[in-house]
Amino acid sequence: MSPKDAADVVIVGVAARGLAAAARRAGLRALVLDLFGDDDTRELALAAIPLRRIGAFAIDPADLYEQLAIHAGPDIPVVLGTGFEHQPEVVERLAARFRLVGNGPPTLAWTKEPLMLARLLHNLGIPHPQVFADHAPAGMRTLEKRIGGSGGWHVKPASESRGWGWYLQEELQGRTVSALFLGNGHKARLLAFSEQWCEPSEDAPYRYGGAAGPIRLDPSIEASIASALDAVVNAAGIVGLASADLMLTGDGWSLIEINPRPGASLDVFDHEPLPPLLRLHFEACRGELPDLALLTPEAAGMVRGAGVFYAPFSFEMRLDPLPDWVADRPPQGTRIETGEPICTLFAAGRDVREVRDTLARRRDQLWRDLSMASRKAAE
């Protein structure tokens, strides 16, 4: 039997290892199509199909259509990860040909088109930063962002945008958190909160660094956010696993962004005591929401964290084996350029500070080992 015939789900994304792991935990056999083909992705999948990239981290739509036509049948469910928020036309074409389990173009338009989202949030009375198509008011600190961008690579301070495909968002100061939730098109089920942080570089000061959770917020804020997510899900028709990026400010909170698909928090939360999150995703897309309480550190027994390790310098992967707290493992001999992600690091602890300290130590240890292995290979 071929992998195509044996697969329960097809997973597509820029980097799909997290979703592949979620499929394994849910007892699903996955075909995976992504840009990286990391070693652990191939181990988790029935088969891992490499996709052609455009630029740094974009999927070539023509290659995607061709590979799906070869490797995926019309009856196998397809789950999309990162890489499609700014390409609703691609999602529309996929939904027309395949059994897409997740949000379609109308929901993407409401949640990922900044001016539409801002108008929606305003009408719903949900706090959010102001956004502008081209110029910001004098004296207002703003960030330039790419429409549909992810990972923070594209975010920089600016007072005017560079034109089509970009926008300005009011810069807020505070604590960055994320809310993991399920939607059934009408209501939301808030599952957990995590804290996020940046790993800045010279040309990407807001580059995504990692997340850790579960964390608790003030109960009144938690209740307010849960109510807001109910309203957004109902208005935008969000289904399945999704997340909301939030800023906790001195006088409350603001909703920064909605990510209407499974994301990086799978690494943090797809563990006991929560049920398999990909199963919950399928159920929510059918209209079913679980009766689950908000996850707490006490219920989880620990705080888990996942951080992205970016290459300080260009090198070739020569270290084998990698520690068991490393995921997204590049194949041996892979050339990784300065600033590109090498892998994901995991850690656990009593709180976010302890998790981040452990991640920092592991990053330093791994870079020493990688550097030594590269030098030995060059001798």
Side-chain angles (χ1 to χ4, degrees), residues 178-189:
S178 177
L180 177 69
F181 67 95
L182 290 161
N184 69 354
H186 304 286
K187 289 183 63 63
R189 175 73 71 227

Side-chain angles (χ1 to χ4, degrees), residues 110-131 169 225 227-233 235-236 238 244-246 253-258:
W110 275 112
T111 56
K112 301 308 293 184
E113 206 295 317
L115 295 177
M116 287 182 64
L117 178 61
R119 186 163 60 250
L120 175 67
L121 297 177
H122 173 78
N123 291 339
L124 295 173
I126 296 172
H128 63 283
Q130 298 182 67
V131 297
Q169 185 178 77
I225 292 170
S227 177
L229 292 177
D230 264 341
V232 172
V233 165
I238 298 171
D245 293 341
L246 311 160
W253 63 277
S254 283
L255 196 158
I256 306 297
E257 190 171 357
I258 296 285

Side-chain angles (χ1 to χ4, degrees), residues 211-289:
I215 61 171
R216 292 301 304 269
L217 310 182
D218 180 276
S220 64
I221 290 180
E222 291 179 348
S224 177
I225 292 170
S227 177
L229 292 177
D230 264 341
V232 172
V233 165
N234 184 57
I238 298 171
V239 296
L241 272 174
S243 62
D245 293 341
L246 311 160
M247 183 70 73
L248 303 184
T249 60
D251 55 355
W253 63 277
S254 283
L255 196 158
I256 306 297
E257 190 171 357
I258 296 285
N259 300 302
R261 40 85 181 154
S265 57
L266 285 170
D267 284 334
V268 176
F269 293 124
D270 200 14
H271 308 277
E272 294 286 351
L274 287 179
L277 292 183
L278 197 57
R279 287 286 184 189
L280 295 184
H281 176 72
F282 274 75
E283 292 167 4
C285 289
R286 295 197 300 265
E288 306 167 19
L289 291 180

Side-chain angles (χ1 to χ4, degrees), residues 350-361:
R350 293 166 294 183
D351 53 31
V352 173
R353 180 185 294 274
E354 185 172 306
V355 168
R356 292 192 63 177
D357 287 345
T358 302
L359 287 172
R361 289 195 301 272

